Structure formats: C-alpha cells, structure tokens
Amino acid sequence: MDQEYERRLLRQINHQNLPTEARLSKCVSATCSPVSVKSGDRFIPTRAGSNWSINFHYANENCRSPNQNHKAKDASSDSSKDAVAYAALLRNELLGAGIETVPDPHTDDRRHAVLSQDSHSLFRYTVHTKRVPFDSDNEVSPYSLSPLSNKSHKLLRSPRKPARKISKIPFKVLDAPELQDDFYLNLVDWSAGNLLSVGLGACVYLWSACTSQVTRLCDLSVDGDSVTSVCWNERGSLVAVGTHKGYVQIWDAAGGRKLTSLEGHSARVGALAWNGEQLSSGSRDRVILQRDVRTPPTAERRLQGHRQEVCGLKWSPDHQHLASGGNDNKLLVWNSSSLLPVQQYSDHLAAVKAIAWSPHQHGLLASGGGTADRCLRFWNTLTGQALQSTDTGSQVCNLAWSKHANELVSTHGYSQNQILVWKYPSLTQVAKLTGHSYRVLYLAVSPDGEAIVTGAGDETLRFWNVFSKTRCTKESKSVLNLFTRIR
C-alpha cells in the first residue's frame, strides 16, 4: 500500500474517533495557524461505529425541533399513519426488525421498539450458511410471488386503528333569543329523555332532540321573575327551575305543570344539582340548601361555607359527596351528613363555576377558574391532594367528562371563546372548536354521551359531535330559529 495513502487513511480514522472538544480545539488552532495539508482526489467514507438502524429511524426526526416533533406526535391524519407503516416495512426488509404490527404514532412505543431491536449492519457482506425452513417467519416461501418476508406480510395485514376525527363544524345551530350573557347562571341542561331545557329570559323552553319540537314549559313574567338556572333529575321526568327572586320551582315535564315552589333563598338561585330525590340549590346569598322534594319544604339542610355567591354545584357519581364552587375562589367538598365542608381547596385565583366529577376514577374532581385564573385543576378527594393543573389561556366556564373515554371537554370565555377537548391524565388537546362570538357560558352532554350542546351570549346553541365512538356521518349545519317567543 502506498505510504502517503496509508497516512491519509489513518489521519481520517483518527479524526473520526476524536472527541468533540478535541475536534473543535483542533479546528480553532487550524484557523489561527493554517497548515497546508496535502489531499488526494479520493473520498474514503468511514463507517466505523455507525448504527445504521438508529440513523435510519432518526434521519427525519433530527432535522426537526422538539416543538415540531410534539406537533407531529399529536397529528392524527391518515398520512402520518401511512408514513409510520412504511417506515416499519422498510425496517423489516432492510434491517430485519421483525415488526408485525403498525406502531401508534401518538406514543413513544415506536422509539422504544427501535432501540430494543438487535443491531444489524445495513451494509453486510457476509452470507448466512445456515439454512432455515421455508415456513419460518424470517424466510419467504418458495411458492410466494411477493418479495416481502412473512413478518412484513403480517405487518400489512395487521388491523389499522381508524384516525380520530372531530368535526370542527357544529352539526346543528339553534337560535336562542334572550339567552343571558351571565357567567354565574346555568341555563342549559340535557335530560335522560333526550329533552333539552333552556332558560330564555323569563321562560323555560323544552326542545326534543328526537322530533325537534319546541314547547314552552313556563313563563315567569307574570310574577315579575326571570329564570337563572335549570336542572333535570336523573330520570329526566322533573326539571328544577331557579329564579331571580330566590325560588326553586319543580316542574313535571311530561304534564307541563308545576308541582311545587320552594322558598328559602333571599337572592337569585344560579346553581342546581339533583341527588336522587334530593335537590341542592346554590344562591347569591352564599347558602346551599338541600331538600327532599318528597318531604315538606320545612325539612332542609343549610350548608354555609362560601363567602360569596355559589355558582357551581355537582354531586359525585356515587351520590356521597357534593362539590361546590363560589365567587370567593373556593372549591368545597361536602358529604351527605355533615353541615361543614370536609375539604376545601383555595388554589384558584378566580370564581369557580366549572366543576366535574370523573365517572372513570373514584374521587377524581376537576375544576376550572375564571378570568384571573384560567386554570384547569384536578383533585384527589380521597386524599385531599392536588394532582395536576394546566393554564388554558382563557376563562373556564364549564367542564364535562366523557362517558366512554378518559377525556373531558371545557368551554371558555375571555378571551378566546373556544371549546377544548382534553385527554386525561396527559392533558393534551384533542380538538379545539370555535364558532361562538361570545363567552361559551353553557354546556350540556347528550344522554348517550356522544354529543354536546354549547350556549353563549351570541344567543345561539351549537351542537357538536365530540365524544362520538362509531357514528361518522357527514356534518350539516342548519340555522333554525326554534326558540321563538310563543305569544
């Protein structure tokens, strides 16, 4: 071998194996005192120490920033899944990775799978002398017309999980004149019988999701009163109506008649929550009254713990604990026997109206704060510990959990007026829905748990397919002025 050629080859190998610091110092010294180096006309690549399996996998990822990788990981398009399947197929044929199922692009399993594979050299010049049977997973049958291995055939035949698509267009839009733009009210609720109750000014209207028929349940204008809250019982037969003067009326929806009117509050009733036959009501007078609609009105429990208006009430799925939120930035948890709160959370910096108990994890409570807070917070009410929180960037008006998956939806006010779908516990955004021009103050979930309805001060109700599992129909937008005043 020529001595000059051997010297250049050794110099290139030694430079490849030098540490980065030494290489940088050498480059700096070379710029300060240039030395003429005699070079030839041949380029000799050095592949010593190269891991072609890892380099092949990270060829595109190294060119992207962490923010771009995060966005690509959150994407759920078919093209991204096709790219992952194609990359797995190439690794099978070129590297012998033996992948039989398409990895999920939303997780990091793909990276761990690549790192756990045996290191194979991409440029291999040796020939295996050991023969394996033709029906082995690593060999192609002599009767097959496909050049792919059996592993790749299993990969291509593996079931593909359909991409999650949430339509960003509501499938129905209803006009709701006189729907108040008041953060502390709760004027929309969806019953188990698929009836939507909406408080518009002094009236309560019922809209049937099955027939699209609208009926007026009550009109409080004759008493000089207005509607401040509505809430269905669990069976969907009774609807409670809170009024501005502090009354709580119980109405039979099927018969269209008022059963009783409960007194006890000295100010408007903005929050209602049923627990079986018991009804809890929260008012601006800072008191929570709990009454059984089957007993005389005098039998009641008074829960006093908030220092300002009570604007959020929710009973836990096991009917044992009541969560209340107030304008005093407090979140309180009550049990069914004590007159004092058993837990108190003071981490929010604004009014707590958005409250939701998880139907999937016992004792998990989610809450959202107002304009000065903008945070979603999660609590373990079994231990009293704060779990995690995230800043949503805008006022949190409502929260609701999905019945089918560990996800929840939040509606927001100042300043983005959007609807967000979150995965729990990762708290990654699944979808962002926009369309309301005012704060999205009202939220209700359909009885099948697949659709939601949102209401805002722009006097519209919008229906969204958010938690749909199987239904994938074409969305259509229809503007219907159904909630018109009946004269």
Side-chain angles (χ1 to χ4, degrees):
M1 183 182 293
D2 183 49
Q3 294 183 355
E4 182 65 22
Y5 170 74
E6 185 177 0
R7 190 180 302 110
R8 286 190 288 109
L9 181 60
L10 292 176
R11 187 184 302 116
Q12 187 173 359
I13 294 176
N14 292 334
H15 182 270
Q16 183 73 20
N17 296 331
L18 277 176
T20 305
E21 294 80 0
R23 210 177 299 168
L24 290 175
S25 61
K26 197 169 183 180
C27 294
V28 172
S29 62
T31 57
C32 298
S33 58
V35 180
S36 60
V37 180
K38 187 175 181 181
S39 59
D41 58 349
R42 291 187 61 192
F43 172 72
I44 303 175
T46 302
R47 301 189 178 98
S50 298
N51 191 332
W52 293 98
S53 176
I54 296 179
N55 292 341
F56 173 77
H57 177 64
Y58 292 119
N60 295 327
E61 291 192 2
N62 291 336
C63 301
R64 289 188 267 179
S65 64
N67 188 27
Q68 289 174 327
N69 283 332
H70 179 71
K71 289 182 179 179
K73 190 180 299 183
D74 290 340
S76 60
S77 62
D78 293 335
S79 59
S80 63
K81 289 200 171 187
D82 292 340
V84 172
Y86 181 67
L89 184 64
L90 288 180
R91 287 199 296 272
N92 274 357
E93 297 303 315
L94 297 179
L95 308 175
I99 303 175
E100 296 184 3
T101 58
V102 179
D104 188 357
H106 298 279
T107 63
D108 290 332
D109 297 340
R110 183 171 48 137
R111 176 173 300 186
H112 297 314
V114 172
L115 295 178
S116 63
Q117 298 294 333
D118 295 334
S119 178
H120 296 284
S121 177
L122 183 60
F123 299 96
R124 182 168 49 198
Y125 301 100
T126 59
V127 179
H128 289 289
T129 57
K130 183 179 179 180
R131 299 281 297 181
V132 292
F134 72 90
D135 58 348
S136 173
D137 288 339
N138 298 322
E139 196 72 19
V140 180
S141 170
Y143 306 104
S144 176
L145 300 179
S146 173
L148 301 179
S149 63
N150 291 342
K151 292 284 187 179
S152 295
H153 279 290
K154 292 183 179 180
L155 173 66
L156 295 177
R157 290 194 300 265
S158 62
R160 296 284 302 276
K161 185 179 180 180
R164 172 87 178 275
K165 293 183 180 179
I166 297 179
S167 175
K168 296 187 177 181
I169 301 176
F171 65 87
K172 188 181 290 295
V173 178
L174 305 180
D175 282 349
E178 297 188 53
L179 184 61
Q180 298 188 50
D181 184 26
D182 194 327
F183 176 79
Y184 300 98
L185 306 185
N186 293 273
L187 297 175
V188 178
D189 198 18
W190 208 330
S191 75
N194 218 4
L195 283 176
L196 187 70
S197 61
V198 184
L200 302 177
C203 300
V204 175
Y205 292 92
L206 303 181
W207 177 78
S208 173
C210 301
T211 63
S212 296
Q213 292 183 350
V214 180
T215 57
R216 187 177 63 185
L217 180 66
C218 63
D219 187 355
L220 307 182
S221 60
V222 294
D223 300 326
D225 210 346
S226 62
V227 180
T228 54
S229 58
V230 294
C231 185
W232 289 94
N233 67 344
E234 296 178 3
R235 298 178 182 176
S237 57
L238 303 179
V239 57
V241 179
T243 74
H244 184 77
K245 290 185 176 181
Y247 296 101
V248 178
Q249 299 181 1
I250 310 298
W251 286 78
D252 178 10
R257 59 190 182 93
K258 182 172 66 174
L259 301 181
T260 183
S261 180
L262 304 176
E263 301 178 356
H265 289 292
S266 59
R268 69 180 183 184
V269 179
L272 296 168
W274 287 88
N275 184 27
E277 301 298 332
Q278 295 181 343
L279 177 63
S280 301
S281 57
S283 171
R284 183 183 268 181
D285 61 9
R286 303 171 294 178
V287 177
I288 301 173
L289 295 181
Q290 185 171 331
R291 293 169 279 203
D292 194 320
V293 296
R294 299 166 299 181
T295 60
T298 55
E300 62 182 20
R301 294 178 64 239
R302 298 177 64 90
L303 307 180
Q304 295 179 318
H306 289 283
R307 296 184 177 180
Q308 294 191 37
E309 180 175 5
V310 180
C311 49
L313 285 177
K314 285 292 169 57
W315 276 95
S316 60
D318 60 358
H319 307 284
Q320 297 300 316
H321 292 88
L322 173 68
S324 64
N327 198 32
D328 55 358
N329 310 344
K330 298 291 191 299
L331 175 65
L332 306 181
V333 178
W334 316 74
N335 60 21
S336 57
S337 58
S338 176
L339 297 179
L340 296 176
V342 294
Q343 291 176 1
Q344 177 174 320
Y345 304 103
S346 306
D347 293 4
H348 284 291
L349 303 177
V352 183
K353 176 191 176 185
I355 303 173
W357 292 89
S358 171
H360 311 289
Q361 185 174 342
H362 182 61
L364 176 60
L365 177 63
S367 61
T371 307
D373 183 70
R374 306 172 312 212
C375 289
L376 281 182
R377 300 184 184 274
F378 297 85
W379 318 89
N380 184 349
T381 59
L382 302 179
T383 62
Q385 295 178 342
L387 298 178
Q388 55 193 127
S389 66
T390 183
D391 190 344
T392 65
S394 56
Q395 177 188 41
V396 184
C397 301
N398 285 284
L399 283 174
W401 288 87
S402 168
K403 298 179 182 179
H404 310 298
N406 208 10
E407 298 176 350
L408 71 161
V409 60
S410 59
T411 66
H412 299 268
Y414 300 125
S415 58
Q416 301 183 33
N417 305 330
Q418 79 273 37
I419 304 164
L420 299 178
V421 183
W422 306 83
K423 276 187 175 295
Y424 185 83
S426 62
L427 293 184
T428 56
Q429 289 187 18
V430 179
K432 178 180 179 180
L433 310 176
T434 57
H436 286 288
S437 56
Y438 281 69
R439 297 181 295 174
V440 189
L441 297 176
Y442 311 110
L443 169 69
V445 183
S446 63
D448 61 2
E450 295 184 353
I452 63 170
V453 58
T454 57
D458 56 10
E459 298 186 346
T460 62
L461 296 175
R462 298 173 185 265
F463 295 77
W464 316 78
N465 274 329
V466 172
F467 299 129
S468 179
K469 297 186 301 181
T470 56
R471 185 171 52 193
C472 187
T473 57
K474 184 178 180 181
E475 310 296 345
S476 61
K477 180 179 179 180
S478 61
V479 180
L480 305 176
N481 190 1
L482 294 182
F483 291 107
T484 57
R485 180 178 295 278
I486 302 175
R487 301 186 182 276

